[in-house]
Amino acid sequence: SASAAPEHKPVSLRQLAGEAIETLQPRIGARRLKVAVACSPADGTAEVRGDRQKLASLVGNLLDNAARYAPEQSAIDVVLREERGAVTLEVRDEGPGIPQESRARVFESYYRIPGSAGSGSGLGLAIVREVARAHEARVEIREGRGGKGTAVIVTFDKANR
């Protein structure tokens, strides 16, 4: 099974989120974004088994997307949960959001929402989905805070722990 892949080692998603935020600090600072990481349980590390480099690119792309589309001085939340053996990573922003009809397509390489502002290759979510698949994780897109913005939720099930 894929979860037994030899290169799969325990990786803390909390640590990867911290590293991604540090890398994106210039953009976060320039746009005066408030980025908060919350973990439940509070002392949790949100550990999953996987390829550290690929998981870092999954977390990095989610945060990069959020920081790219979030309005200036808005908030980005990274919410990590460990419950019943599954680990969930959620990145929420207060940006323009992704219309329902585009949600399936945003995972395609180079797809960009028609009329969307901001620069980018359109590859971010394609990479996220590819890494999630390699780790038998699910990716969903919902509305962010108060029905505004975007929330991308990645769920790693028991098999990957």
Side-chain angles (χ1 to χ4, degrees):
S1 86
S3 54
E7 68 279 12
H8 281 202
K9 298 188 167 61
V11 179
S12 159
L13 294 180
R14 187 179 200 157
Q15 195 179 345
L16 293 183
E19 288 169 18
I21 290 164
E22 218 165 289
T23 304
L24 288 166
Q25 204 51 60
R27 182 181 297 157
I28 290 166
R31 309 197 59 207
R32 302 199 295 284
L33 301 169
K34 294 185 288 294
V35 183
V37 179
C39 203
S40 127
D43 61 352
T45 56
E47 191 173 273
V48 297
R49 288 190 70 79
D51 177 315
R52 191 178 199 284
Q53 222 174 334
K54 287 183 177 154
L55 289 167
S57 96
L58 176 142
V59 176
N61 272 293
L62 287 178
L63 276 156
D64 182 71
N65 262 2
R68 200 183 285 275
Y69 294 107
E72 290 217 356
Q73 298 186 52
S74 65
I76 296 171
D77 294 318
V78 180
V79 184
L80 297 160
R81 288 186 207 92
E82 300 177 36
E83 51 200 0
R84 295 189 295 282
V87 171
T88 313
L89 160 70
E90 182 174 353
V91 177
R92 286 198 294 250
D93 66 50
E94 297 174 321
I98 297 175
Q100 193 77 43
E101 62 278 9
S102 291
R103 285 182 195 172
R105 296 205 59 197
V106 291
F107 293 109
E108 295 167 17
S109 297
Y110 308 111
Y111 178 79
R112 298 195 53 209
I113 296 161
S116 64
S119 59
S121 62
L123 276 174
L125 286 171
I127 292 167
V128 165
R129 185 170 69 171
E130 199 177 304
V131 174
R133 277 189 176 153
H135 292 80
E136 294 169 44
R138 294 191 306 282
V139 185
E140 319 164 62
I141 295 175
R142 299 190 192 149
E143 279 84 32
R145 286 182 165 193
K148 285 200 296 285
T150 307
V152 183
I153 302 144
V154 185
T155 307
F156 297 83
D157 286 317
K158 265 199 187 71
N160 277 40
R161 306 273 332 275

